[in-house]
Amino acid sequence: MFDWRLYYVYSLIISFTFNDYERAFMLSKKAAALKKSNVSTFNICLLIFYEGLTSLALSKNATDPKQQREFCKVAKQSIRTMKRLGKQVPENCLHKNLLLEAEFDMLKGRYIKGLDKYHRCIELAKTEGFLHEHALACERLGLALYSQDTTKDPLSPNTAITPGEKYLVEACSLYKTWGAHAKVEQ
């Protein structure tokens, strides 16, 4: 029997990957029943991770303060759950939690803490062999640095290109290695 909840989870990942945050959020709601099922922890971990990332992305763009608080509430719950899962299976979840926390810190204006968590996430995803999440972390860091309109990353050495460009170029290279050619074209 086909499990539509898993279809929704993987569609959520694709939607988030291609910046369709509204669709990703709708899909996360359709997949929510997965959290109470006996499906593998890995798939639940993916749902919680991308639900949190989607909520954070939508919170950044929300103009209504009430809506922004609601998205932040979902993101905080995802962070708490991912932190708990990170204690159970750190090799699968710790870097995901760090990325969620980095995005949340940047949203709340905690720039240096956010940068530190992005860098730790990148190193951990690389060490644990999560190529696509290594690419994602580089992409999110590059976008965060661009959004801060900074020409200097205080946690990395100075280079000829801006830090945002450096991480976006690295993300493209990693996505290409992973085989995500449509993402590279984006």
Side-chain angles (χ1 to χ4, degrees):
M1 183 173 165
F2 185 76
D3 191 338
W4 283 99
R5 296 168 305 182
L6 291 177
Y7 167 79
Y8 294 138
V9 170
Y10 289 100
S11 296
L12 157 64
I13 294 168
I14 292 167
S15 296
F16 180 85
T17 300
F18 289 98
N19 308 323
D20 189 352
Y21 304 129
E22 289 81 14
R23 183 170 191 274
F25 193 74
M26 179 267 305
L27 289 162
S28 76
K29 296 302 164 205
K30 288 187 174 190
L34 191 67
K35 294 177 194 173
K36 297 175 181 137
S37 71
N38 61 354
V39 173
S40 76
T41 303
F42 183 76
N43 287 312
I44 293 170
C45 182
L46 288 175
L47 169 59
I48 292 164
F49 177 56
Y50 280 96
E51 180 180 54
L53 288 175
T54 299
S55 297
L56 288 163
L58 288 170
S59 181
K60 287 178 193 173
N61 299 329
T63 54
D64 177 21
K66 183 180 177 189
Q67 194 176 37
Q68 187 177 42
R69 282 190 302 275
E70 286 301 314
F71 288 133
C72 278
K73 183 179 174 182
V74 173
K76 285 179 190 178
Q77 182 59 44
S78 295
I79 291 168
R80 280 192 297 273
T81 304
M82 193 59 64
K83 186 173 273 190
R84 185 175 40 81
L85 290 170
K87 290 177 182 173
Q88 295 171 8
V89 273
E91 59 279 358
N92 286 343
C93 299
L94 190 55
H95 67 282
K96 291 174 178 71
N97 186 58
L98 284 168
L99 185 55
L100 287 169
E101 288 182 354
E103 293 274 307
F104 190 77
D105 283 341
M106 295 303 273
L107 178 69
K108 295 299 182 181
R110 298 185 294 254
Y111 185 66
I112 298 299
K113 282 177 79 174
L115 289 178
D116 178 57
K117 289 175 183 172
Y118 279 120
H119 287 282
R120 289 173 38 214
C121 170
I122 288 167
E123 285 306 310
L124 206 48
K126 181 178 180 180
T127 300
E128 296 297 344
F130 286 92
L131 183 62
H132 60 296
E133 289 168 0
H134 181 187
L136 175 62
C138 287
E139 177 186 10
R140 301 307 295 179
L141 174 54
L143 293 171
L145 290 168
Y146 266 135
S147 74
Q148 295 296 317
D149 196 29
T150 184
T151 57
K152 184 178 179 189
D153 177 354
L155 300 178
S156 290
N158 201 8
T159 62
I161 61 173
T162 69
E165 290 170 340
K166 172 188 166 196
Y167 288 104
L168 290 173
V169 166
E170 185 175 353
C172 282
S173 175
L174 291 164
Y175 280 130
K176 186 176 182 179
T177 301
W178 187 49
H181 301 291
K183 181 64 180 174
V184 173
E185 290 299 315
Q186 183 194 33

